[in-house]
Amino acid sequence: MIRIARLLTALAVTGGLAAPVASVGAQNAAQTIAVAPFNVHQARGDSRDFQGVGSALADLLASDLRAGGARVVDRAAMRRTAALQPATRDGMLGREGAVASAKMLGAQRVVYGGFTADAAGNVRIDARVVNVGTGAVEFSERLQGHGDEVLALLHQLASRMATGMSVT
């Protein structure tokens, strides 16, 4: 599990995924998207194994969406505004907090979600796209696989989200 966290963090720092996703539709390319840090859930007790994974996932997803032609809010600004939001009962960033953060930054949509890993090395990534103006979930996706596949899962997620966001 530590390998997954280190790999994601290193890739986020060095520039993300190389392959671009399909371009976001022309109608929505003018819209700005904010990507909130992902909430991290783990079956194991040592949270240090996953330190930085939520931000790394958001950084990589934002880079992939940007490479596909989307206008994405600066990640550092999003991290700062998300940190100011009240947490849910379980200490996570909820839909209201993600929407409020994106609204502060002038985004029309926000992507937020969660990352789950178990002791067997299985991972799951859940993500939602929320319309900041209405608060409605426009698109959601859940991907599962093994920890060694997390980068491919993230690229697949970015591609599906870009496609889903072009649907009005």
Side-chain angles (χ1 to χ4, degrees):
M1 288 302 131
I2 293 173
R3 276 188 4 217
I4 295 169
R6 287 183 182 155
L7 176 64
L8 287 173
T9 303
L11 284 168
V13 169
T14 59
L17 302 171
V21 297
S23 179
V24 176
Q27 178 179 355
N28 293 320
Q31 291 194 11
T32 302
I33 302 165
V35 182
F38 277 55
N39 296 313
V40 177
H41 314 273
Q42 69 263 4
R44 297 171 32 170
D46 192 357
S47 63
R48 291 176 300 176
D49 285 355
F50 299 96
Q51 187 174 17
V53 169
S55 290
L57 282 172
D59 289 344
L60 293 170
L61 183 58
S63 294
D64 224 7
L65 288 170
R66 190 177 291 115
R71 190 169 19 172
V72 180
V73 169
D74 178 64
R75 291 286 309 124
M78 185 62 192
R79 273 192 296 273
R80 284 191 302 272
T81 58
L84 298 173
Q85 301 305 314
T88 62
R89 282 184 285 140
D90 56 358
M92 304 290 175
L93 178 67
R95 178 170 59 187
E96 294 81 14
V99 167
S101 294
K103 193 176 286 189
M104 280 190 250
L105 297 169
Q108 289 78 38
R109 290 179 167 162
V110 62
V111 176
Y112 78 103
F115 172 83
T116 307
D118 65 19
N122 300 307
V123 297
R124 181 172 127 179
I125 303 171
D126 294 285
R128 291 166 265 329
V129 176
V130 176
N131 181 307
V132 171
T134 65
V137 176
E138 293 182 343
F139 181 79
S140 65
E141 187 66 52
R142 173 185 297 160
L143 297 172
Q144 298 181 149
H146 195 269
D148 294 341
E149 305 167 330
V150 73
L151 293 176
L153 290 171
L154 192 59
H155 182 68
Q156 185 179 5
L157 174 66
S159 180
R160 288 184 183 183
M161 295 200 113
T163 301
M165 283 187 275
S166 67
V167 177
T168 56

